[in-house]
Amino acid sequence: MKLTLHVWRQKSRDARGAMERYEAPDVSEHMSFLEMLDVVNEDLINRGADPIAFEHDCREGICGSCGFMIDGVANGGMKNTSVCQLHMRHFADEDEIWIEPWRAAAFPVIKDLVVDRSAFDRVIASGGYVSVSTGSAPDGNAIPVRKESAELAMDAAACIGCGACVASCPNAAAALFTGAKIAHLGRLPQGQPERLERARVMVLQANAEGLGNCTNIGECEATCPKGIKLEVIGRMNRDFLAASWTLRPAGNTPQEAA
Ligand code: SF4
Ligand code: FES
């Protein structure tokens, strides 16, 4: 198939970017979207031009590094699909495709389609862990975990930190990401001692990173490649609210003040 691509090119964080047009005259429908870009880049390199920078690692939908906007939709709009798992058979011959990096102030462009998502790392570092002395590896069955809890924790742990939720949200909110990271520990018995404090510090860190607030639009869930559900945001909000009362100094709650 023959495609026309319009790709955001930006040399560096501070450089001015623009859309540039490329022809891809010989694309196989069996290629993944990233393989199609590889072919375009080989041609650019052969002609001495600067290849299009995009991030990738596993190409199996598990590392979260490859996302960008395709025709204005995060990861191209196929349900539960990262860009590396999107195949060219979902496009038509002679299509024109617009490709841009994630758009969010908290994710500044590094080059072309590559953005700096270290804000996510700092949100996780603020509280996304269990700080108990674990010693040597315990027996897997030493702490009983309800099957439903284990499955819901596993569903939340499926988040790959890709950032599609932030890029899709009109508020550039990271509520789905932060909620998933809070839920995957907060669903388990091992995550209970720090559960409220974890929610408090991770939400505050997301705010400090310039990530927005959730207004229940749902674009994040619609474009999340791992099917993370909005339910994690409700849990995060409940834990954050509980933390804001439970962790306050005595005398600050309405009941204590009365
Ligand atoms: S919640 Fe979904 S869209 Fe957001 S970072 Fe995690 S996997 Fe990506
Ligand atoms: S390259 Fe790892 S999720 Fe796409």
Side-chain angles (χ1 to χ4, degrees), residues 235-248:
R235 270 185 75 84
M236 174 181 74
N237 289 340
R238 284 194 297 278
D239 283 357
F240 182 80
L241 198 60
S244 62
W245 291 118
T246 310
L247 302 171
R248 278 181 186 206

Side-chain angles (χ1 to χ4, degrees), residues 149-159 184 187-188 228:
S149 301
E151 288 185 349
L152 290 170
M154 198 63 196
D155 289 347
C159 168
H184 100 255
R187 285 281 186 190
L188 297 172
I228 303 292

Side-chain angles (χ1 to χ4, degrees), residues 47-205:
R47 291 193 281 116
D50 192 23
I52 300 160
F54 61 91
E55 204 177 342
H56 62 99
D57 188 6
C58 69
R59 298 199 176 204
E60 293 180 357
I62 54 175
C63 76
S65 63
C66 62
F68 45 77
M69 306 298 280
I70 300 171
D71 290 339
V73 184
N75 294 324
M78 288 279 298
K79 197 164 174 52
N80 296 345
T81 306
S82 56
V83 170
C84 59
Q85 294 294 292
L86 179 66
H87 284 81
M88 299 316 296
R89 57 181 170 271
H90 299 297
F91 296 85
D93 191 26
E94 310 244 327
D95 265 1
E96 290 201 29
I97 305 174
W98 274 259
I99 307 170
E100 299 171 77
W102 292 156
R103 298 289 189 195
F107 290 166
V109 171
I110 295 172
K111 187 177 181 190
D112 299 339
L113 306 177
V114 181
V115 299
D116 178 355
R117 282 174 293 188
S118 57
F120 271 10
D121 298 336
R122 291 186 290 274
V123 171
I124 292 178
S126 70
Y129 49 80
V130 175
S131 60
V132 292
S133 173
T134 54
S136 56
D139 185 297
N141 296 321
I143 300 175
V145 181
R146 288 173 55 232
K147 181 167 166 39
E148 188 197 7
S149 301
E151 288 185 349
L152 290 170
M154 198 63 196
D155 289 347
C159 168
I160 53 176
C162 65
C165 46
V166 174
S168 302
C169 176
N171 309 325
L176 199 69
F177 164 80
T178 311
K181 298 302 171 195
I182 290 170
H184 100 255
L185 295 171
R187 285 281 186 190
L188 297 172
Q190 296 92 328
Q192 297 311 308
E194 293 162 304
R195 178 172 160 185
L196 301 186
E197 175 63 4
R198 178 182 304 116
R200 191 182 72 80
V201 296
M202 291 181 77
V203 169
L204 292 179
Q205 185 64 39

